[in-house]
Amino acid sequence: MELIFLTKISLILTGYKMISNTIEKYLKLFKDSPKPSESSRLLKEMNKEFKTSPPSVSEVIQELEKYASNPDYPGASFIMMAAWSNLSKDYTPILCQILNDENNNGLHESVIELLDVLRDERAIPALSKALTYRWSYDVWFNVPRKSLL
C-alpha cells in the first residue's frame, strides 16, 4: 500500500515538472533555431505534444502563477498553448489576476481570448475593468475591444 502511495506521489511530482521541462526544452530549441521556418515547425511540434499529452490543470495554473509573479518569464506564450490544450475554468482566477496587472501585458489579449472560451462568470469583473484600460503599449485599444467579446 505504501509503495503504491509513494508511486502516485512520484507521478504527481513528475507531472508538475513535465510542463516546465517541455517549456525549457522548446525555449532552448527556439533559441537555437536559425530560421523562421524552423520556428514554425517547432511551434507545431510543441502544440502537437501538448495535444497528445496535455498538461494537468494544476501544472498550467502553477506556470501561470510563475508568469503572474514575473512578467519577464520566458515561457509565457507556451503556457497559454498548454492552457488551450486542456481548457478549465479553474484557470479563471489566475487569468483575471494577469489581466488586471499592466506589467503582464505580454499576454493580455491571449488571456481575454481564453477567458472568452471558458465563459466563466467570475471573469466578468476583470473583463469589465479591461474595457477601461488605456495602456501605452496598446495604442489600438485591442485589450478593451477584445474585452467586449
Side-chain angles (χ1 to χ4, degrees), residues 7-55:
T7 304
K8 283 185 178 181
I9 289 175
S10 297
L11 288 172
I12 290 168
L13 292 174
T14 303
Y16 280 122
K17 290 203 148 230
M18 247 169 55
I19 191 172
S20 293
N21 292 342
T22 301
I23 289 171
E24 286 176 28
K25 174 178 89 174
Y26 281 99
L27 282 172
K28 181 172 177 5
L29 289 170
F30 273 95
K31 184 179 177 186
D32 297 342
S33 166
K35 299 182 248 174
S37 60
E38 179 69 10
S39 295
S40 178
R41 184 191 66 74
L42 288 170
L43 266 177
K44 288 177 186 171
E45 182 182 304
M46 183 176 62
N47 208 11
K48 183 178 178 184
E49 188 171 330
F50 282 142
K51 288 198 185 306
T52 304
S53 179

Side-chain angles (χ1 to χ4, degrees), residues 1 23 36 49 59 62 89 94 108:
M1 182 74 158
I23 289 171
E49 188 171 330
E59 283 181 280
Q62 184 179 19
K89 289 184 178 186
I94 189 65
H108 282 156

Side-chain angles (χ1 to χ4, degrees), residues 60-68 79-80 94-95 98:
V60 174
I61 291 170
Q62 184 179 19
E63 293 299 314
L64 286 168
E65 287 171 345
K66 285 181 189 176
Y67 174 71
I79 299 166
M80 293 304 289
I94 189 65
L95 291 174
I98 291 168

